[in-house]
Amino acid sequence: MIRVGILISGGGSNMDRLITAMQAEKFALPAIVISNKAGAGGLAKAAAHSVPSTTIPHGDFAERAAFETAIDTALRDAKVDLICLAGFMRVLSAEFLLKWPDQVFNIHPSLLPKYRGLNTHQRALDAGEARHGCTVHIVVPELDAGPILGQSEVPVMADDTADTLAARVLVAEHQLYPQCLQQYCDRLSSKT
Ligand code: GRF
């Protein structure tokens, strides 16, 4: 069974959907949740699903390399095959990613390659976009630039604010991320 590690920083609603899908469809096993923030809402959700979790606060480490080594060790101890970033608000270095080639996925709240980085919803509104959405992609050292596994579009409404648009995109994220992970795991399993 493919073992998935999930990295979070916050509420973990995407993490919650990933775990729910894995537990229901049994295409992979949620092996561990790691938060870089103590008390992140996602930690309680992981516990509610009986998924082991740990907190590795980035502020406890003088250097990023040491923080990433601690994450790498926790993932390897949990025998993880794939890593899903789900609202994980730290950039992973090229050195870390080299150790996990094509094994780190992310969900980004825009239709990449548009709006890499932060504040994607406001930027889409400012640009007068009629369509916005989210992208699941493989993580590479260049920010939000890796191969795309799937995208989901939502309409932009005339009276949208960044918050209403974000809420509409989040609903799409919750469907897209589990779907992309399942497709990827099914492909991996059919090759072995
Ligand atoms: C999501 O919009 C995700 O795309 C972005 O951060 C948000 C995380 O939300 N990277 P949650 O923690 O999954 O609820």
Side-chain angles (χ1 to χ4, degrees):
M1 179 80 97
I2 294 159
R3 297 173 64 87
V4 177
I6 307 175
L7 270 50
I8 63 166
S9 301
S13 67
N14 277 292
M15 174 216 75
D16 191 62
R17 299 309 174 104
L18 289 172
I19 292 173
T20 300
M22 284 186 257
Q23 291 182 334
E25 305 296 332
K26 308 211 183 310
F27 57 85
L29 187 83
I32 189 162
V33 169
I34 302 175
S35 172
N36 69 309
K37 287 228 171 118
L43 292 166
K45 293 189 180 102
H49 288 287
S50 305
V51 174
S53 66
T54 185
T55 303
I56 302 179
H58 58 276
D60 285 3
F61 300 86
E63 287 173 6
R64 180 164 72 168
F67 168 63
E68 290 185 344
T69 298
I71 290 190
D72 185 77
T73 301
L75 291 165
R76 292 191 194 279
D77 286 351
K79 301 196 179 347
V80 160
D81 304 298
L82 286 178
I83 302 167
C84 286
L85 309 184
F88 181 66
M89 300 307 284
R90 308 299 297 176
V91 172
L92 293 168
S93 70
E95 291 72 27
F96 179 92
L97 293 171
L98 265 177
K99 293 190 213 159
W100 295 91
D102 294 334
Q103 289 163 289
V104 185
F105 298 170
N106 184 40
I107 185 145
H108 182 76
S110 79
L111 296 172
L112 291 173
K114 285 186 171 177
Y115 312 118
R116 294 174 182 171
L118 298 174
N119 302 320
T120 57
H121 309 301
Q122 189 59 53
R123 287 158 64 204
L125 287 176
D126 292 346
E129 299 284 2
R131 315 284 301 170
H132 186 44
C134 52
T135 304
V136 173
H137 65 96
I138 296 178
V139 179
V140 297
E142 191 183 343
L143 190 66
D144 301 325
I148 289 173
L149 297 173
Q151 290 190 306
S152 179
E153 286 192 18
V154 302
V156 179
M157 306 299 188
D159 59 351
D160 263 336
T161 63
D163 285 348
T164 59
L165 186 52
R168 193 173 309 117
V169 171
L170 192 62
V171 173
E173 293 180 35
H174 290 162
Q175 289 180 345
L176 181 70
Y177 208 176
Q179 200 178 62
C180 290
L181 180 64
Q182 179 161 11
Q183 279 168 3
Y184 193 90
C185 289
D186 286 349
R187 279 205 303 273
L188 268 189
S189 304
S190 68
K191 278 187 200 159
T192 53

